[in-house]
Amino acid sequence: MVKVLLQSTIAFASSSRWWYISHPSKRCRFISTIKMSTEAYKFGPYKIDAKEVFYSTNLSFAMVNLRPVVPGHVLIVPKREVKRLVDLTADETSDLWLMAQKVGKQLESYHKASSLTFTIQDGPEAGQTVPHVHIHILPRKSGDFERNDEIYDAIDGKEKELQQKLDLDKERKDRGFEEMAQEADKFRSLFV
């Protein structure tokens, strides 16, 4: 990423894109986007490439899912690595849920869904496979599952498959990085 200062105008280049910001009030929002693209993210023991992250605050980030159950299935994760929901601070809890609300609203509209499922698997016995609190957001459509609660079985199944395939010493290889980066790029545009 290249950053060029030209008097009162700031120009940014990322890949083949250039953004120009001349209005001072828009600077902070955009600079946080620049920070997001260079920031290091962790999800439990995994390093998450910034290209997989499509929205970020000081306390949380939203990322595309390695194994989505439905189109638009994403994760909201606190930046501080915390295993259980009860261990989050009040500010982290608030930020996590406010982000889930904002991301859910945008993805429901983007995917032309009619509802959302928000779920947390809080601890290993609840099906949590990555020891880092995270909220699953799943845009829902009529008839996406024969019985509505089957979504939870599907999430559990994907988590179990993932747990069997994950080797903490190897890179994740399920969904291709390019596919995940492209999806994150589409979702990122919803928050500009």
Side-chain angles (χ1 to χ4, degrees):
M1 175 150 309
V2 177
K3 178 179 171 182
V4 181
L5 294 174
L6 303 171
Q7 295 171 355
S8 65
T9 300
I10 302 175
F12 295 90
S14 173
S15 339
S16 60
R17 295 184 182 165
W18 279 89
W19 295 278
Y20 296 94
I21 300 174
S22 56
H23 193 280
S25 67
K26 294 183 182 176
R27 244 173 141 178
C28 293
R29 183 177 69 176
F30 192 79
I31 288 172
S32 69
T33 302
I34 298 302
K35 180 182 175 196
M36 184 175 74
S37 67
T38 60
E39 192 171 351
Y41 296 94
K42 286 201 62 161
F43 180 44
Y46 307 103
K47 291 180 183 173
I48 302 300
D49 191 290
K51 290 181 179 180
E52 297 173 55
V53 174
F54 61 90
Y55 187 67
S56 180
T57 66
N58 288 335
L59 298 175
S60 306
F61 64 94
M63 61 184 267
V64 295
N65 197 334
L66 181 64
R67 287 189 161 196
V69 173
V70 295
H73 177 185
V74 300
L75 304 177
I76 308 298
V77 184
K79 287 185 177 177
R80 185 170 67 95
E81 188 177 336
V82 176
K83 292 180 182 181
R84 302 289 308 275
L85 185 65
V86 70
D87 297 324
L88 292 171
T89 67
D91 286 343
E92 288 170 325
T93 303
S94 177
D95 189 77
L96 195 71
W97 283 105
L98 288 171
M99 179 182 283
Q101 180 185 41
K102 183 175 186 171
V103 167
K105 178 182 178 183
Q106 293 297 327
L107 293 181
E108 182 175 356
S109 174
Y110 179 83
H111 286 283
K112 296 177 178 38
S114 57
S115 302
L116 295 166
T117 294
F118 295 87
T119 185
I120 295 177
Q121 294 158 305
D122 194 28
E125 286 73 25
Q128 182 183 36
T129 57
V130 177
H132 191 153
V133 172
H134 55 286
I135 301 172
H136 294 258
I137 302 178
L138 300 97
R140 302 292 305 276
K141 295 181 179 180
S142 179
D144 57 3
F145 285 86
E146 188 174 329
R147 289 179 326 190
N148 197 39
D149 284 348
E150 287 177 354
I151 190 86
Y152 302 109
D153 295 333
I155 292 169
D156 285 342
K158 292 285 185 178
E159 291 283 330
K160 286 176 184 162
E161 286 176 29
L162 187 59
Q163 188 173 30
Q164 290 170 359
K165 288 192 173 201
L166 284 179
D167 179 343
L168 300 183
D169 297 326
K170 295 181 181 178
E171 286 186 43
R172 301 178 302 164
K173 295 181 182 176
D174 294 28
R175 243 171 104 187
F177 174 75
E178 270 308 308
E179 179 185 354
M180 292 174 71
Q182 288 172 358
E183 182 180 46
D185 196 40
K186 286 179 199 172
F187 294 163
R188 199 174 295 114
S189 70
L190 301 174
F191 299 95
V192 176

